[in-house]
Amino acid sequence: MKKILSVLFTMMIAGLAFAQSADVITELLDSEKASVGQVAYLCAVQQELIQDTENYDAAVSALINQGYLAEDTDPSEEITLGKTAYLLSKNWEIQGGLMFNLTNGSPRYAFKQFLYDGVIAKSSEPTSYVSGAEVLQLYSAGLSTYGGFNIKSVSMESE
């Protein structure tokens, strides 16, 4: 039940945060292993590097241009938790630790910062692959932690 509620909450946040198409979110939720293109799409749309009508290739190209991904990145490649944390960390102004700041939020220290801040579970491994639902959970946890979103401030009563 908790997983269903978190997925629904994540979908609500994703829908409110941007006007991404429902097809992209549905495809992401259905993915047993998320791809670099899917995570890049979430990040590129939030950073307004691409329009929400563009595809995963455009998102990956935009992140390559920003220097976040290597030139030879394949959008269909499965993504690890470490790389997901790195890409998501570029969405927010994170007041991280010393090494996070010295390395400009490198993948290693982005993962460690997410662990420290409770965005990622302590038992997580950076080399493990993530499902689409896990990506959306990380996104909503990051949004809550770093983006200033507070669910307690949302009124659920009709006016």
Side-chain angles (χ1 to χ4, degrees):
M1 183 67 175
K2 185 178 179 183
K3 187 173 183 177
I4 292 171
L5 288 175
S6 81
V7 169
L8 290 175
F9 173 73
T10 302
M11 287 176 51
M12 180 186 74
I13 295 300
L16 294 175
F18 347 91
Q20 294 171 337
S21 75
D23 294 338
V24 171
I25 300 299
T26 301
E27 183 180 332
L28 186 58
L29 281 172
D30 289 342
S31 300
E32 284 187 40
K33 290 185 179 177
S35 70
V36 172
Q38 291 170 322
V39 176
Y41 179 86
L42 286 175
C43 297
V45 169
Q46 179 172 345
Q47 295 173 42
E48 298 179 351
L49 300 174
I50 64 168
Q51 298 296 314
D52 63 347
T53 55
E54 295 187 61
N55 61 21
Y56 299 146
D57 292 332
V60 168
S61 293
L63 294 187
I64 289 170
N65 291 338
Q66 293 294 101
Y68 301 154
L69 292 172
E71 291 283 332
D72 61 348
T73 301
D74 178 9
S76 63
E77 174 187 336
E78 295 170 344
I79 193 165
T80 62
L81 183 56
K83 189 178 272 189
T84 301
Y86 169 69
L87 292 177
L88 290 176
S89 74
K90 299 303 182 184
N91 288 339
W92 305 287
E93 294 292 325
I94 298 175
Q95 303 303 316
L98 177 65
M99 292 307 293
F100 179 81
N101 290 319
L102 283 176
T103 62
N104 196 25
S106 71
R108 174 184 174 88
Y109 291 106
F111 177 81
K112 288 181 174 271
Q113 189 65 47
F114 274 35
L115 278 175
Y116 180 78
D117 292 338
V119 174
I120 295 176
K122 298 285 185 205
S123 61
S124 300
E125 293 292 324
T127 56
S128 63
Y129 291 101
V130 291
S131 69
E134 290 170 324
V135 168
L136 289 175
Q137 288 172 344
L138 288 173
Y139 176 79
S140 65
L143 184 62
S144 176
T145 303
Y146 308 117
F149 178 79
N150 183 357
I151 189 65
K152 293 178 183 175
S153 67
V154 177
S155 173
M156 298 302 231
E157 296 182 22
S158 62
E159 307 221 355

